[in-house]
Amino acid sequence: MDHSVPIMLIATTDPDSRRVLEDELRRRYGADYEVVACAGHAHGRAVLEGLRRWNRPVALILGCYGPADRGGLDFLRRAYGFHPAAKRAVVVTWGDFASAPTVFRAIAQGYAELLIIRPERSRDEEFHGAITDALDDWHLAQGVGFEAVRLIGDVGDERTHALRDSLSRNHIPVGFHPAGSEAAKQALQRLGLRDPALPVLVLEFTASPTVLENPSDLEIAEAMGVTRPPPADKVFDVVVVGAGPSGLATAVYASSEGLSTMVVEGEAVGGQAGTSSLIRNYPGFSRGVSGAHLAFRSFHQAWTLGTDFLFLRKVEGLGLDGALYAVSISDGSVVRCRTVVVATGVDYRRLGTPQLEDLVGRGVFYGATVSEAPSMAGKQVCVVGGGNSAGQAVLHLAKFAKKVTLLVRGPTLSVSMSDYLISQLEATRNVAIRYGTVIVGARDRDGFLAAVKVAAAGTPDATPGEEIEAGGLFVLIGSVPRTSWLPDTVERDPAGFLRTGVNRDIGDTGPMRPDRHPMALETSMPGLFAIGDVRAGSIKRVATAVGDGATVVSMLHAYLAENPLPASSTAPGEAAAPGELPGDVRFN
Protein backbone atom coordinates (compact mmCIF):
# COMPACT_ATOMS: atom_id res chain seq x y z
CA MET A 1 0.00 0.00 0.00
CA ASP A 2 1.26 3.45 -0.97
CA HIS A 3 1.82 5.29 2.32
CA SER A 4 0.97 8.62 0.68
CA VAL A 5 -2.62 7.52 0.05
CA PRO A 6 -4.95 9.41 2.44
CA ILE A 7 -7.03 7.49 4.95
CA MET A 8 -10.79 7.62 5.50
CA LEU A 9 -11.52 6.04 8.89
CA ILE A 10 -14.83 4.89 10.36
CA ALA A 11 -15.18 3.85 14.01
CA THR A 12 -18.52 2.87 15.49
CA THR A 13 -20.11 0.22 17.70
CA ASP A 14 -23.21 0.27 15.48
CA PRO A 15 -22.72 -2.66 13.03
CA ASP A 16 -25.43 -1.43 10.61
CA SER A 17 -23.92 2.03 10.29
CA ARG A 18 -20.42 0.60 9.97
CA ARG A 19 -21.51 -1.71 7.15
CA VAL A 20 -23.41 1.01 5.25
CA LEU A 21 -20.65 3.59 5.59
CA GLU A 22 -17.86 1.19 4.70
CA ASP A 23 -19.70 -0.05 1.60
CA GLU A 24 -20.51 3.47 0.39
CA LEU A 25 -17.02 4.83 0.97
CA ARG A 26 -15.19 1.87 -0.55
CA ARG A 27 -17.40 1.83 -3.62
CA ARG A 28 -17.13 5.56 -4.31
CA TYR A 29 -13.63 6.44 -3.02
CA GLY A 30 -11.72 3.16 -2.80
CA ALA A 31 -9.53 3.92 -5.81
CA ASP A 32 -8.11 7.12 -4.28
CA TYR A 33 -8.38 6.61 -0.53
CA GLU A 34 -7.75 3.75 1.86
CA VAL A 35 -10.97 3.13 3.78
CA VAL A 36 -10.45 1.72 7.30
CA ALA A 37 -13.44 0.50 9.33
CA CYS A 38 -13.02 -0.11 13.07
CA ALA A 39 -15.49 -2.12 15.17
CA GLY A 40 -15.13 0.05 18.25
CA HIS A 41 -13.80 3.35 19.55
CA ALA A 42 -10.79 1.87 21.34
CA HIS A 43 -9.84 0.08 18.13
CA GLY A 44 -10.28 3.34 16.21
CA ARG A 45 -8.02 5.24 18.60
CA ALA A 46 -5.36 2.54 18.38
CA VAL A 47 -5.43 2.67 14.57
CA LEU A 48 -5.20 6.47 14.59
CA GLU A 49 -2.20 6.29 16.91
CA GLY A 50 -0.50 3.84 14.56
CA LEU A 51 -1.25 6.00 11.53
CA ARG A 52 0.29 8.97 13.33
CA ARG A 53 3.48 7.00 14.05
CA TRP A 54 3.68 5.92 10.42
CA ASN A 55 3.08 9.49 9.20
CA ARG A 56 0.04 8.41 7.22
CA PRO A 57 -2.23 11.29 6.10
CA VAL A 58 -5.76 11.03 7.48
CA ALA A 59 -8.29 13.04 5.48
CA LEU A 60 -11.58 12.10 7.13
CA ILE A 61 -12.68 10.53 10.42
CA LEU A 62 -16.29 9.40 10.80
CA GLY A 63 -17.96 8.64 14.11
CA CYS A 64 -21.64 7.89 14.77
CA TYR A 65 -24.12 9.06 17.36
CA GLY A 66 -27.50 7.47 18.03
CA PRO A 67 -29.26 4.76 20.05
CA ALA A 68 -26.78 2.13 18.85
CA ASP A 69 -23.65 4.22 19.53
CA ARG A 70 -23.47 6.82 22.28
CA GLY A 71 -19.68 7.03 22.30
CA GLY A 72 -19.08 8.45 18.84
CA LEU A 73 -18.89 12.09 19.86
CA ASP A 74 -16.30 11.41 22.54
CA PHE A 75 -14.31 9.34 20.03
CA LEU A 76 -14.27 12.26 17.59
CA ARG A 77 -13.19 14.65 20.33
CA ARG A 78 -10.26 12.40 21.23
CA ALA A 79 -9.40 11.79 17.57
CA TYR A 80 -8.45 15.47 17.26
CA GLY A 81 -5.33 14.87 19.32
CA PHE A 82 -4.10 12.16 16.94
CA HIS A 83 -4.78 13.90 13.61
CA PRO A 84 -5.87 17.51 14.15
CA ALA A 85 -5.82 18.33 10.42
CA ALA A 86 -8.30 15.57 9.53
CA LYS A 87 -11.92 16.51 8.90
CA ARG A 88 -14.15 15.01 11.60
CA ALA A 89 -17.81 14.24 10.93
CA VAL A 90 -20.55 12.81 13.12
CA VAL A 91 -22.98 10.54 11.26
CA VAL A 92 -26.60 10.33 12.41
CA THR A 93 -29.57 8.35 11.13
CA TRP A 94 -32.51 10.08 9.55
CA GLY A 95 -35.39 10.54 12.00
CA ASP A 96 -33.31 10.41 15.19
CA PHE A 97 -34.41 13.90 16.15
CA ALA A 98 -33.98 13.20 19.86
CA SER A 99 -30.20 13.16 19.39
CA ALA A 100 -30.10 16.51 17.60
CA PRO A 101 -29.56 18.81 20.63
CA THR A 102 -26.63 16.72 21.87
CA VAL A 103 -25.03 16.55 18.43
CA PHE A 104 -25.45 20.26 17.74
CA ARG A 105 -23.98 21.14 21.14
CA ALA A 106 -21.00 18.86 20.54
CA ILE A 107 -20.32 20.43 17.13
CA ALA A 108 -20.52 23.91 18.67
CA GLN A 109 -17.91 22.80 21.23
CA GLY A 110 -15.56 21.48 18.56
CA TYR A 111 -16.07 17.72 18.98
CA ALA A 112 -16.70 17.48 15.23
CA GLU A 113 -16.78 19.86 12.30
CA LEU A 114 -19.81 18.69 10.40
CA LEU A 115 -22.96 16.63 10.61
CA ILE A 116 -23.74 13.98 7.98
CA ILE A 117 -26.93 11.94 7.60
CA ARG A 118 -26.26 8.25 7.03
CA PRO A 119 -27.18 7.10 3.52
CA GLU A 120 -30.26 4.88 3.40
CA ARG A 121 -29.92 3.96 -0.26
CA SER A 122 -27.21 3.53 -2.87
CA ARG A 123 -26.04 6.63 -4.70
CA ASP A 124 -27.17 8.95 -1.93
CA GLU A 125 -25.76 12.11 -3.48
CA GLU A 126 -26.58 14.33 -0.51
CA PHE A 127 -24.32 12.13 1.62
CA HIS A 128 -21.58 12.10 -0.98
CA GLY A 129 -21.87 15.85 -1.51
CA ALA A 130 -21.05 16.34 2.17
CA ILE A 131 -18.13 13.90 1.93
CA THR A 132 -16.62 15.48 -1.19
CA ASP A 133 -16.97 19.00 0.27
CA ALA A 134 -15.06 17.86 3.34
CA LEU A 135 -12.36 16.20 1.25
CA ASP A 136 -12.05 19.27 -0.96
CA ASP A 137 -11.53 21.50 2.10
CA TRP A 138 -8.94 19.05 3.47
CA HIS A 139 -6.96 19.01 0.22
CA LEU A 140 -7.09 22.80 -0.04
CA ALA A 141 -5.72 23.16 3.49
CA GLN A 142 -2.96 20.62 2.86
CA GLY A 143 -1.85 22.28 -0.36
CA VAL A 144 -1.42 18.93 -2.09
CA GLY A 145 -2.33 17.79 -5.56
CA PHE A 146 -2.01 19.22 -9.06
CA GLU A 147 0.61 21.96 -9.44
CA ALA A 148 -0.65 24.33 -12.12
CA VAL A 149 1.94 26.79 -10.83
CA ARG A 150 5.27 25.93 -9.22
CA LEU A 151 6.76 28.47 -6.84
CA ILE A 152 10.41 28.36 -5.79
CA GLY A 153 11.61 30.83 -3.18
CA ASP A 154 13.08 31.39 0.24
CA VAL A 155 10.88 30.32 3.15
CA GLY A 156 11.39 33.61 4.98
CA ASP A 157 10.99 35.91 2.00
CA GLU A 158 8.01 38.26 2.29
CA ARG A 159 7.41 38.38 -1.48
CA THR A 160 7.43 34.59 -1.69
CA HIS A 161 4.91 34.42 1.13
CA ALA A 162 2.69 37.03 -0.57
CA LEU A 163 2.71 35.14 -3.88
CA ARG A 164 2.00 31.83 -2.22
CA ASP A 165 -0.90 33.30 -0.29
CA SER A 166 -2.33 35.18 -3.28
CA LEU A 167 -2.21 32.16 -5.60
CA SER A 168 -3.84 29.91 -3.00
CA ARG A 169 -6.61 32.41 -2.28
CA ASN A 170 -7.28 32.78 -6.00
CA HIS A 171 -7.87 29.02 -6.14
CA ILE A 172 -4.83 28.45 -8.37
CA PRO A 173 -3.19 25.08 -7.59
CA VAL A 174 0.30 26.04 -6.46
CA GLY A 175 3.17 23.87 -5.34
CA PHE A 176 5.73 25.58 -3.12
CA HIS A 177 9.32 24.31 -3.11
CA PRO A 178 11.75 26.03 -0.71
CA ALA A 179 14.93 27.24 -2.33
CA GLY A 180 17.72 24.77 -1.61
CA SER A 181 15.41 21.78 -1.33
CA GLU A 182 16.07 18.80 -3.58
CA ALA A 183 12.81 19.37 -5.47
CA ALA A 184 13.71 23.01 -6.08
CA LYS A 185 17.22 22.15 -7.27
CA GLN A 186 15.90 19.56 -9.72
CA ALA A 187 13.25 21.94 -11.04
CA LEU A 188 15.76 24.74 -11.62
CA GLN A 189 18.16 22.32 -13.29
CA ARG A 190 15.45 21.13 -15.70
CA LEU A 191 14.68 24.75 -16.54
CA GLY A 192 18.34 25.59 -17.12
CA LEU A 193 18.38 28.22 -14.35
CA ARG A 194 21.68 28.42 -12.47
CA ASP A 195 21.37 31.57 -10.36
CA PRO A 196 17.84 32.92 -10.86
CA ALA A 197 16.33 35.93 -9.16
CA LEU A 198 14.01 34.49 -6.55
CA PRO A 199 11.16 33.86 -6.26
CA VAL A 200 10.76 31.87 -9.47
CA LEU A 201 7.26 31.20 -10.76
CA VAL A 202 6.72 28.41 -13.29
CA LEU A 203 3.39 28.28 -15.10
CA GLU A 204 3.09 24.58 -15.85
CA PHE A 205 -0.29 24.88 -17.62
CA THR A 206 1.01 26.84 -20.62
CA ALA A 207 1.94 25.05 -23.86
CA SER A 208 5.57 25.15 -22.76
CA PRO A 209 6.24 26.11 -19.14
CA THR A 210 6.44 29.88 -18.67
CA VAL A 211 9.24 30.90 -16.31
CA LEU A 212 9.09 34.20 -14.41
CA GLU A 213 11.94 35.40 -12.22
CA ASN A 214 10.92 37.65 -9.32
CA PRO A 215 7.86 38.79 -11.27
CA SER A 216 5.61 41.73 -10.47
CA ASP A 217 1.87 41.18 -10.07
CA LEU A 218 1.30 42.73 -13.49
CA GLU A 219 3.81 40.37 -15.14
CA ILE A 220 2.05 37.41 -13.53
CA ALA A 221 -1.38 38.63 -14.68
CA GLU A 222 -0.18 39.13 -18.25
CA ALA A 223 1.57 35.74 -18.34
CA MET A 224 -1.51 33.92 -17.08
CA GLY A 225 -3.68 35.64 -19.67
CA VAL A 226 -6.93 35.02 -17.80
CA THR A 227 -8.06 38.64 -17.87
CA ARG A 228 -7.01 41.52 -20.08
CA PRO A 229 -7.87 45.24 -20.11
CA PRO A 230 -10.98 46.03 -22.17
CA PRO A 231 -10.87 47.95 -25.48
CA ALA A 232 -10.32 51.69 -25.06
CA ASP A 233 -13.77 52.52 -26.40
CA LYS A 234 -15.60 50.19 -24.02
CA VAL A 235 -17.90 51.92 -21.54
CA PHE A 236 -19.13 49.82 -18.62
CA ASP A 237 -22.34 50.47 -16.73
CA VAL A 238 -20.45 49.80 -13.50
CA VAL A 239 -16.88 49.20 -12.36
CA VAL A 240 -16.65 47.37 -9.03
CA VAL A 241 -13.39 47.94 -7.15
CA GLY A 242 -12.70 44.91 -4.97
CA ALA A 243 -13.69 41.24 -5.24
CA GLY A 244 -14.64 40.53 -1.66
CA PRO A 245 -18.11 39.22 -0.74
CA SER A 246 -19.81 42.59 -1.38
CA GLY A 247 -18.06 43.22 -4.69
CA LEU A 248 -18.72 39.71 -5.97
CA ALA A 249 -22.39 39.95 -4.96
CA THR A 250 -22.66 43.21 -6.89
CA ALA A 251 -21.11 41.53 -9.93
CA VAL A 252 -23.50 38.57 -9.75
CA TYR A 253 -26.64 40.69 -9.47
CA ALA A 254 -25.54 43.44 -11.87
CA SER A 255 -24.49 41.02 -14.61
CA SER A 256 -27.58 38.86 -14.18
CA GLU A 257 -29.72 41.98 -14.64
CA GLY A 258 -28.04 43.05 -17.84
CA LEU A 259 -25.55 45.66 -16.62
CA SER A 260 -22.10 45.55 -18.21
CA THR A 261 -19.82 45.00 -15.24
CA MET A 262 -16.08 45.09 -14.62
CA VAL A 263 -14.47 43.98 -11.34
CA VAL A 264 -10.90 45.06 -10.52
CA GLU A 265 -9.06 43.15 -7.78
CA GLY A 266 -5.46 43.76 -6.78
CA GLU A 267 -4.93 40.71 -4.57
CA ALA A 268 -7.33 37.77 -4.39
CA VAL A 269 -11.02 37.03 -4.65
CA GLY A 270 -12.85 36.87 -1.35
CA GLY A 271 -11.09 39.69 0.48
CA GLN A 272 -10.56 39.02 4.17
CA ALA A 273 -13.45 36.55 4.14
CA GLY A 274 -11.48 34.48 1.63
CA THR A 275 -8.85 33.81 4.29
CA SER A 276 -11.36 32.29 6.73
CA SER A 277 -10.86 28.55 7.08
CA LEU A 278 -14.51 27.89 8.02
CA ILE A 279 -17.50 30.23 8.07
CA ARG A 280 -20.24 28.54 10.07
CA ASN A 281 -22.82 31.33 10.31
CA TYR A 282 -23.38 32.07 6.61
CA PRO A 283 -27.02 31.27 5.72
CA GLY A 284 -27.53 28.17 3.61
CA PHE A 285 -24.33 26.35 4.61
CA SER A 286 -25.27 24.21 7.60
CA ARG A 287 -21.95 22.35 7.44
CA GLY A 288 -20.04 25.61 7.16
CA VAL A 289 -18.04 26.76 4.17
CA SER A 290 -14.46 27.90 3.80
CA GLY A 291 -14.01 31.50 2.75
CA ALA A 292 -11.93 30.39 -0.24
CA HIS A 293 -14.68 28.12 -1.55
CA LEU A 294 -17.42 30.68 -1.00
CA ALA A 295 -15.39 33.32 -2.83
CA PHE A 296 -14.46 31.04 -5.71
CA ARG A 297 -18.07 29.96 -6.24
CA SER A 298 -19.23 33.58 -6.26
CA PHE A 299 -16.46 34.55 -8.69
CA HIS A 300 -17.29 31.67 -11.01
CA GLN A 301 -20.98 32.57 -10.85
CA ALA A 302 -20.28 36.20 -11.78
CA TRP A 303 -17.84 35.20 -14.53
CA THR A 304 -20.40 32.80 -16.01
CA LEU A 305 -23.02 35.58 -16.02
CA GLY A 306 -20.73 37.82 -18.07
CA THR A 307 -18.73 39.90 -15.58
CA ASP A 308 -15.31 41.08 -16.81
CA PHE A 309 -12.46 40.74 -14.31
CA LEU A 310 -9.05 42.37 -13.97
CA PHE A 311 -6.93 40.46 -11.44
CA LEU A 312 -3.63 41.39 -9.82
CA ARG A 313 -4.14 45.00 -10.87
CA LYS A 314 -4.88 47.84 -8.49
CA VAL A 315 -7.02 50.92 -9.00
CA GLU A 316 -4.77 53.93 -8.59
CA GLY A 317 -7.13 56.83 -9.11
CA LEU A 318 -10.52 58.12 -10.14
CA GLY A 319 -11.13 60.94 -12.58
CA LEU A 320 -13.72 62.24 -15.03
CA ASP A 321 -14.04 61.82 -18.77
CA GLY A 322 -16.96 64.05 -19.67
CA ALA A 323 -20.06 62.54 -18.09
CA LEU A 324 -18.21 59.30 -17.34
CA TYR A 325 -15.93 58.14 -14.58
CA ALA A 326 -12.37 57.22 -15.59
CA VAL A 327 -10.81 54.52 -13.41
CA SER A 328 -7.00 54.44 -13.61
CA ILE A 329 -5.49 50.95 -13.37
CA SER A 330 -1.97 50.05 -12.24
CA ASP A 331 -1.13 48.60 -15.67
CA GLY A 332 -1.48 52.08 -17.20
CA SER A 333 -4.91 51.51 -18.70
CA VAL A 334 -8.03 53.56 -17.98
CA VAL A 335 -11.47 51.94 -17.72
CA ARG A 336 -14.44 54.22 -18.42
CA CYS A 337 -17.78 53.66 -16.75
CA ARG A 338 -21.05 55.29 -15.78
CA THR A 339 -20.97 54.28 -12.11
CA VAL A 340 -18.37 53.04 -9.64
CA VAL A 341 -18.93 50.75 -6.65
CA VAL A 342 -16.21 50.87 -3.99
CA ALA A 343 -15.93 47.45 -2.35
CA THR A 344 -12.27 47.57 -1.36
CA GLY A 345 -12.78 46.47 2.23
CA VAL A 346 -10.11 47.02 4.86
CA ASP A 347 -6.55 46.12 5.75
CA TYR A 348 -5.60 44.82 9.19
CA ARG A 349 -3.99 47.48 11.30
CA ARG A 350 -0.24 47.09 11.70
CA LEU A 351 1.32 46.65 15.12
CA GLY A 352 3.99 49.20 14.33
CA THR A 353 6.64 47.53 16.51
CA PRO A 354 9.96 47.61 14.57
CA GLN A 355 11.08 44.19 15.86
CA LEU A 356 7.88 42.63 14.51
CA GLU A 357 7.75 44.55 11.23
CA ASP A 358 11.25 43.32 10.43
CA LEU A 359 9.98 39.73 10.71
CA VAL A 360 6.97 39.99 8.39
CA GLY A 361 6.97 36.86 6.22
CA ARG A 362 9.46 35.20 8.56
CA GLY A 363 7.07 34.18 11.27
CA VAL A 364 4.93 37.34 11.47
CA PHE A 365 1.84 37.51 9.24
CA TYR A 366 -0.97 40.01 8.91
CA GLY A 367 -4.26 38.24 8.34
CA ALA A 368 -5.34 34.62 8.56
CA THR A 369 -3.04 33.25 5.89
CA VAL A 370 -4.44 29.75 5.39
CA SER A 371 -1.50 28.76 3.19
CA GLU A 372 0.92 29.16 6.13
CA ALA A 373 -0.98 26.91 8.55
CA PRO A 374 0.69 23.59 7.55
CA SER A 375 4.12 25.16 8.09
CA MET A 376 3.16 25.75 11.74
CA ALA A 377 3.05 22.00 12.45
CA GLY A 378 4.54 21.23 15.87
CA LYS A 379 5.16 24.90 16.72
CA GLN A 380 3.69 27.22 19.30
CA VAL A 381 1.74 30.01 17.63
CA CYS A 382 0.16 33.28 18.73
CA VAL A 383 -2.83 35.07 17.23
CA VAL A 384 -3.65 38.68 18.04
CA GLY A 385 -7.25 39.87 17.76
CA GLY A 386 -10.72 39.57 19.18
CA GLY A 387 -13.04 39.28 16.17
CA ASN A 388 -14.46 36.36 14.23
CA SER A 389 -11.54 36.33 11.81
CA ALA A 390 -9.12 35.86 14.71
CA GLY A 391 -11.26 33.07 16.18
CA GLN A 392 -11.44 31.22 12.86
CA ALA A 393 -7.69 31.62 12.41
CA VAL A 394 -7.02 30.12 15.85
CA LEU A 395 -9.20 27.07 15.17
CA HIS A 396 -7.55 26.45 11.80
CA LEU A 397 -4.02 26.87 13.13
CA ALA A 398 -4.83 24.55 16.06
CA LYS A 399 -5.16 21.69 13.56
CA PHE A 400 -1.44 21.95 12.85
CA ALA A 401 0.29 23.82 15.67
CA LYS A 402 1.32 22.31 18.99
CA LYS A 403 -0.37 25.15 20.84
CA VAL A 404 -2.17 28.35 19.81
CA THR A 405 -2.44 31.32 22.16
CA LEU A 406 -5.02 34.00 21.40
CA LEU A 407 -3.93 37.39 22.73
CA VAL A 408 -6.85 39.73 23.40
CA ARG A 409 -6.44 43.33 24.50
CA GLY A 410 -9.87 43.56 26.15
CA PRO A 411 -11.32 41.67 29.14
CA THR A 412 -13.75 39.54 27.10
CA LEU A 413 -14.56 38.22 23.64
CA SER A 414 -18.33 38.33 23.99
CA VAL A 415 -18.73 41.80 22.49
CA SER A 416 -16.63 41.13 19.37
CA MET A 417 -16.83 37.40 18.56
CA SER A 418 -19.72 35.05 17.78
CA ASP A 419 -20.74 32.77 20.62
CA TYR A 420 -20.23 29.58 18.57
CA LEU A 421 -16.59 30.51 17.99
CA ILE A 422 -15.98 31.31 21.66
CA SER A 423 -17.42 27.91 22.62
CA GLN A 424 -15.16 26.11 20.16
CA LEU A 425 -12.09 28.01 21.32
CA GLU A 426 -12.78 27.14 24.94
CA ALA A 427 -13.33 23.47 24.07
CA THR A 428 -10.16 23.08 21.95
CA ARG A 429 -7.45 21.54 24.09
CA ASN A 430 -4.42 23.13 22.46
CA VAL A 431 -5.87 26.65 22.52
CA ALA A 432 -5.26 29.19 25.28
CA ILE A 433 -6.84 32.64 25.57
CA ARG A 434 -4.99 35.49 27.25
CA TYR A 435 -7.13 38.52 28.05
CA GLY A 436 -5.85 42.01 28.79
CA THR A 437 -2.63 41.33 26.90
CA VAL A 438 -0.70 43.30 24.27
CA ILE A 439 2.42 42.55 22.25
CA VAL A 440 5.33 44.91 22.81
CA GLY A 441 8.26 43.16 21.16
CA ALA A 442 9.77 40.01 19.73
CA ARG A 443 12.86 37.84 19.75
CA ASP A 444 14.22 36.16 16.65
CA ARG A 445 16.48 33.21 16.02
CA ASP A 446 18.51 33.18 12.81
CA GLY A 447 16.24 35.82 11.32
CA PHE A 448 12.96 34.03 12.12
CA LEU A 449 10.45 34.70 14.89
CA ALA A 450 11.24 32.71 18.02
CA ALA A 451 9.19 34.44 20.73
CA VAL A 452 6.89 37.39 21.35
CA LYS A 453 7.12 39.76 24.28
CA VAL A 454 3.84 40.67 25.94
CA ALA A 455 2.62 43.00 28.64
CA ALA A 456 -0.60 43.69 30.44
CA ALA A 457 -2.81 46.13 28.54
CA GLY A 458 -2.44 49.58 30.05
CA THR A 459 0.97 48.87 31.57
CA PRO A 460 2.93 52.13 31.89
CA ASP A 461 5.46 52.38 29.05
CA ALA A 462 4.30 48.90 27.96
CA THR A 463 7.14 47.25 29.83
CA PRO A 464 7.50 43.61 28.71
CA GLY A 465 6.36 41.34 31.48
CA GLU A 466 6.63 37.95 29.82
CA GLU A 467 8.05 36.17 26.80
CA ILE A 468 5.97 33.55 24.96
CA GLU A 469 7.63 31.06 22.64
CA ALA A 470 6.15 31.47 19.17
CA GLY A 471 7.18 30.18 15.77
CA GLY A 472 4.34 32.12 14.18
CA LEU A 473 2.39 35.29 14.93
CA PHE A 474 -0.84 36.08 13.07
CA VAL A 475 -2.17 39.60 13.56
CA LEU A 476 -5.85 40.38 12.98
CA ILE A 477 -6.51 43.65 14.78
CA GLY A 478 -8.53 46.69 13.85
CA SER A 479 -9.14 47.79 10.32
CA VAL A 480 -7.93 50.53 8.00
CA PRO A 481 -10.19 51.25 4.99
CA ARG A 482 -8.63 51.02 1.53
CA THR A 483 -9.59 54.44 0.21
CA SER A 484 -6.28 56.21 -0.50
CA TRP A 485 -6.92 56.00 -4.26
CA LEU A 486 -10.09 58.08 -3.98
CA PRO A 487 -10.07 61.89 -4.22
CA ASP A 488 -10.08 63.81 -0.96
CA THR A 489 -13.43 65.33 -1.95
CA VAL A 490 -15.17 61.99 -1.24
CA GLU A 491 -16.45 62.33 2.31
CA ARG A 492 -15.08 60.04 5.01
CA ASP A 493 -15.70 59.63 8.72
CA PRO A 494 -12.86 60.35 11.22
CA ALA A 495 -11.55 56.79 10.82
CA GLY A 496 -11.44 57.08 7.01
CA PHE A 497 -14.52 54.99 6.17
CA LEU A 498 -16.73 56.30 3.38
CA ARG A 499 -19.89 58.12 4.37
CA THR A 500 -23.00 57.14 2.42
CA GLY A 501 -26.65 58.21 2.23
CA VAL A 502 -28.08 58.96 5.65
CA ASN A 503 -24.62 58.79 7.23
CA ARG A 504 -23.68 62.17 5.76
CA ASP A 505 -25.05 65.69 5.63
CA ILE A 506 -27.29 66.36 2.63
CA GLY A 507 -26.97 69.70 0.88
CA ASP A 508 -27.17 70.93 -2.66
CA THR A 509 -26.37 68.46 -5.38
CA GLY A 510 -24.12 69.16 -8.32
CA PRO A 511 -25.32 69.81 -11.84
CA MET A 512 -25.02 66.12 -12.80
CA ARG A 513 -28.04 65.40 -10.57
CA PRO A 514 -29.99 68.45 -9.51
CA ASP A 515 -32.47 68.43 -6.63
CA ARG A 516 -31.94 64.84 -5.52
CA HIS A 517 -30.92 63.37 -2.21
CA PRO A 518 -28.13 60.77 -2.22
CA MET A 519 -29.26 57.15 -2.18
CA ALA A 520 -28.60 54.99 0.88
CA LEU A 521 -25.29 53.53 -0.41
CA GLU A 522 -24.20 56.53 -2.46
CA THR A 523 -21.21 58.60 -1.39
CA SER A 524 -20.80 62.36 -1.64
CA MET A 525 -19.99 61.87 -5.32
CA PRO A 526 -22.98 61.21 -7.60
CA GLY A 527 -22.77 57.73 -9.10
CA LEU A 528 -20.03 56.64 -6.69
CA PHE A 529 -21.30 54.01 -4.24
CA ALA A 530 -19.65 52.31 -1.24
CA ILE A 531 -20.54 48.87 0.13
CA GLY A 532 -19.19 46.30 2.57
CA ASP A 533 -16.54 46.97 5.20
CA VAL A 534 -15.28 50.18 3.58
CA ARG A 535 -18.63 51.88 4.24
CA ALA A 536 -19.01 53.88 7.45
CA GLY A 537 -21.37 52.16 9.86
CA SER A 538 -21.28 48.79 8.12
CA ILE A 539 -21.66 45.55 10.06
CA LYS A 540 -18.55 43.42 9.60
CA ARG A 541 -20.22 40.17 8.52
CA VAL A 542 -20.10 38.29 5.23
CA ALA A 543 -23.89 38.11 4.94
CA THR A 544 -24.34 41.86 5.39
CA ALA A 545 -21.59 42.55 2.84
CA VAL A 546 -23.40 40.33 0.35
CA GLY A 547 -26.62 42.16 1.23
CA ASP A 548 -24.95 45.49 0.40
CA GLY A 549 -23.85 44.06 -2.94
CA ALA A 550 -27.37 42.97 -3.81
CA THR A 551 -28.98 46.20 -2.59
CA VAL A 552 -26.67 48.57 -4.44
CA VAL A 553 -27.69 47.12 -7.82
CA SER A 554 -31.20 48.57 -7.52
CA MET A 555 -29.59 51.96 -6.87
CA LEU A 556 -27.36 51.54 -9.91
CA HIS A 557 -30.46 50.98 -12.04
CA ALA A 558 -32.06 54.12 -10.58
CA TYR A 559 -28.97 56.23 -11.21
CA LEU A 560 -28.47 54.94 -14.75
CA ALA A 561 -32.13 55.64 -15.57
CA GLU A 562 -31.74 59.22 -14.33
CA ASN A 563 -28.47 59.72 -16.23
CA PRO A 564 -28.68 58.19 -19.71
CA LEU A 565 -25.41 57.85 -21.57
CA PRO A 566 -24.84 60.80 -23.93
CA ALA A 567 -24.11 59.82 -27.51
CA SER A 568 -20.80 61.73 -27.38
CA SER A 569 -19.60 59.47 -24.55
CA THR A 570 -19.41 56.38 -26.71
CA ALA A 571 -16.07 57.49 -28.18
CA PRO A 572 -12.88 57.62 -26.14
CA GLY A 573 -12.09 60.98 -24.60
CA GLU A 574 -9.30 62.49 -22.59
CA ALA A 575 -9.70 61.37 -18.99
CA ALA A 576 -8.96 63.70 -16.12
CA ALA A 577 -5.89 62.89 -14.07
CA PRO A 578 -6.55 60.54 -11.14
CA GLY A 579 -8.21 62.40 -8.30
CA GLU A 580 -9.22 65.44 -10.37
CA LEU A 581 -12.92 65.57 -9.62
CA PRO A 582 -14.39 69.07 -9.69
CA GLY A 583 -16.15 70.13 -6.53
CA ASP A 584 -19.48 70.73 -8.25
CA VAL A 585 -19.79 67.04 -9.11
CA ARG A 586 -20.65 65.98 -5.60
CA PHE A 587 -23.21 66.38 -2.86
CA ASN A 588 -22.21 69.34 -0.69
Side-chain angles (χ1 to χ4, degrees), residues 8 29 33 58-62 85-89 113-116 126-142 278 287-290 293 297 399:
M8 301 173 72
Y29 310 101
Y33 297 84
V58 178
L60 181 67
I61 302 173
L62 298 180
K87 305 297 286 188
R88 291 167 297 139
E113 292 165 291
L114 66 151
L115 169 69
I116 297 177
E126 182 178 355
F127 168 79
H128 288 293
I131 295 293
T132 54
D133 278 351
L135 294 175
D136 194 18
D137 281 340
W138 181 79
H139 275 279
L140 188 65
Q142 299 301 306
L278 187 67
R287 295 188 293 266
V289 60
S290 71
H293 276 122
R297 291 169 186 173
K399 297 176 183 179

Side-chain angles (χ1 to χ4, degrees), residues 57 66 118 120 125-126 137 139 186 199 228 251 264 282 294 374 393 421 503 527:
R118 189 185 76 182
E120 300 299 335
E125 299 308 331
E126 182 178 355
D137 281 340
H139 275 279
Q186 292 178 4
R228 300 184 185 281
V264 185
Y282 189 75
L294 185 63
L421 279 173
N503 288 331

Side-chain angles (χ1 to χ4, degrees), residues 340-362:
V340 176
V341 174
V342 183
T344 45
V346 296
D347 286 316
Y348 287 114
R349 196 177 302 279
R350 310 285 286 202
L351 287 170
T353 305
Q355 288 177 310
L356 292 166
E357 296 302 318
D358 290 343
L359 294 172
V360 171
R362 290 177 287 132

